[in-house]
Amino acid sequence: MQIKTGMIPFQKFQTAYRVVGDLTTGMTPLLLLHGGPGSTHNYFEAFDQLAAETGRPIVMYDQLGCGESSLPSDPSWYRAETWLAELQTVRDYLGLDRMHLLGQSWGGMLAIMYVCDQRPQGIQSLILASTLSSARLWAQEQHRLIAYLSPADQAAIATAERTGNFTGTAYVAANQHYMEQHATGPVTSASPAYLRRPKISGSLAYQTAWGPNEYCPTGNLKAYDYTTALAQVTVPTLVTSGTNDLCTPLVAKTMVDQLPNAEWALFAHSRHMAFIDEQAAYFDRLKHWLAMHD
């Protein structure tokens, strides 16, 4: 399978991209928007298998502030407007006039803002993977999930939230337990190479735009709420999530209930990345969806 990487000029920076497959074949490409902000494209290399099985070109990139892209030290760059402009720049540079768009976690928020606010042309379908339409609801649901942790972990998280100190040993351990249950497990020698490979995570981007963790949105996205706006989205939309996901069934259903042209795939054995936890089932569902909406 052909893989092409390179850099796209974006304002005074550079955006690193990776294309799997051939964009000139005529098959509608799938553009992937990673989470975080700051999580890098690495875990999306799971989609190489989808490209190999179908011949569909897959495009991914590291958003500004992480991975192989530029890493500005000025936090004022880390806001929705920057990443929306970068998304359009990537589309223009690679000639993605017609495409499917998949956003996972924060990437889904970015996709929602892009579709709602910019009304772009050429989006054949939208896949909202383990994402959200309301920061407030997300925080509410994370705190509901925290109540299932051990009393010690609950106390450590409550203390960190009360004091604003998210560096203590007990808090770090509690947050790790939480993320292992609902996001992703620890990377081991048995993990795929794309998960084991060292990467530059965008901690400044994450803290500036979102906050110290998944359940305390204190950054510039804390007022994010596009739930009502979803009613304007006429693009066919597939919402995907896992039963043990940070994107709880309530978060997912809130989006599905508002979207006028949506389907929901709930994966019974998955956390925040169903395309990792249940890869075969996820790609079977996605292949059918993409073929229907080409």
Side-chain angles (χ1 to χ4, degrees), residues 103-106 108-109 112 128-133 138 247 251 255:
Q104 189 265 345
S105 195
W106 145 250
M109 297 167 65
I112 287 169
L128 299 177
S130 298
T131 189
L132 58 144
S133 61
W138 184 267
C247 172
V251 170
M255 294 185 288

Side-chain angles (χ1 to χ4, degrees), residues 207-287:
Q207 291 167 15
T208 301
W210 185 254
N213 53 44
E214 285 301 306
Y215 32 89
C216 295
T218 55
N220 55 47
L221 291 168
K222 65 183 177 183
Y224 166 88
D225 192 335
Y226 276 70
T227 302
T228 302
L230 292 178
Q232 309 164 17
V233 178
T234 57
V235 175
T237 303
L238 176 65
V239 175
T240 68
S241 61
T243 55
N244 296 318
D245 203 333
L246 297 168
C247 172
T248 66
L250 177 59
V251 170
K253 187 176 186 299
T254 297
M255 294 185 288
V256 174
D257 285 350
Q258 292 294 320
L259 288 158
N261 189 11
E263 296 181 18
W264 179 16
L266 178 61
F267 293 87
H269 310 290
S270 290
R271 294 162 293 179
H272 200 42
M273 289 180 279
F275 49 84
I276 301 288
D277 286 347
E278 292 183 75
Q279 190 171 100
Y282 193 93
F283 287 156
D284 281 349
R285 184 68 180 86
L286 189 58
K287 279 187 281 191

Side-chain angles (χ1 to χ4, degrees), residues 10-281:
F10 170 59
Q11 299 190 21
K12 60 180 182 179
F13 304 114
Q14 298 281 316
T15 297
Y17 74 92
R18 182 177 184 269
V19 178
V20 186
D22 186 353
L23 288 173
T24 67
T25 61
M27 185 174 257
T28 308
L30 172 64
L31 176 62
L32 307 176
L33 304 178
H34 68 67
S39 290
T40 82
H41 83 275
N42 292 33
Y43 65 106
F44 276 151
E45 292 181 27
F47 283 77
D48 289 9
Q49 178 180 329
L50 182 69
E53 290 176 357
T54 64
R56 183 181 302 279
I58 310 285
V59 182
M60 57 197 81
Y61 66 97
D62 289 334
Q63 296 162 23
L64 190 74
C66 69
E68 298 175 15
S69 293
S70 298
L71 310 169
S73 58
D74 179 356
S76 67
W77 285 102
Y78 300 128
R79 60 188 191 276
E81 294 81 1
T82 297
W83 289 305
L84 285 166
E86 182 183 38
L87 167 55
Q88 188 60 53
T89 297
V90 169
R91 278 196 76 181
D92 293 343
Y93 186 90
L94 295 176
L96 304 177
D97 299 328
R98 195 165 170 273
M99 67 180 196
H100 300 280
L101 182 63
L102 184 152
Q104 189 265 345
S105 195
W106 145 250
M109 297 167 65
L110 182 60
I112 287 169
M113 289 186 282
Y114 183 58
V115 171
C116 288
D117 293 345
Q118 302 194 6
R119 307 290 180 92
Q121 298 297 306
I123 308 296
Q124 294 300 109
S125 80
L126 183 63
I127 302 94
L128 299 177
S130 298
T131 189
L132 58 144
S133 61
S134 164
R136 181 199 58 78
L137 178 60
W138 184 267
Q140 173 186 307
E141 280 291 274
Q142 305 318 301
H143 283 91
R144 183 180 63 79
L145 294 177
I146 288 168
Y148 291 96
L149 294 175
S150 71
D153 283 347
Q154 291 182 57
I157 290 172
T159 298
E161 291 186 304
R162 186 177 66 252
T163 63
N165 179 7
F166 297 97
T167 61
T169 303
Y171 162 75
V172 170
N175 188 62
Q176 182 178 341
H177 295 157
Y178 181 76
M179 294 298 281
E180 287 177 359
Q181 286 187 35
H182 301 294
T184 182
V187 176
T188 70
S189 58
S191 301
Y194 54 79
L195 295 180
R196 289 185 276 111
R197 189 171 70 244
K199 67 177 187 178
I200 300 173
S201 295
S203 56
L204 180 59
Y206 182 79
Q207 291 167 15
T208 301
W210 185 254
N213 53 44
E214 285 301 306
Y215 32 89
C216 295
T218 55
N220 55 47
L221 291 168
K222 65 183 177 183
Y224 166 88
D225 192 335
Y226 276 70
T227 302
T228 302
L230 292 178
Q232 309 164 17
V233 178
T234 57
V235 175
T237 303
L238 176 65
V239 175
T240 68
S241 61
T243 55
N244 296 318
D245 203 333
L246 297 168
C247 172
T248 66
L250 177 59
V251 170
K253 187 176 186 299
T254 297
M255 294 185 288
V256 174
D257 285 350
Q258 292 294 320
L259 288 158
N261 189 11
E263 296 181 18
W264 179 16
L266 178 61
F267 293 87
H269 310 290
S270 290
R271 294 162 293 179
H272 200 42
M273 289 180 279
F275 49 84
I276 301 288
D277 286 347
E278 292 183 75
Q279 190 171 100

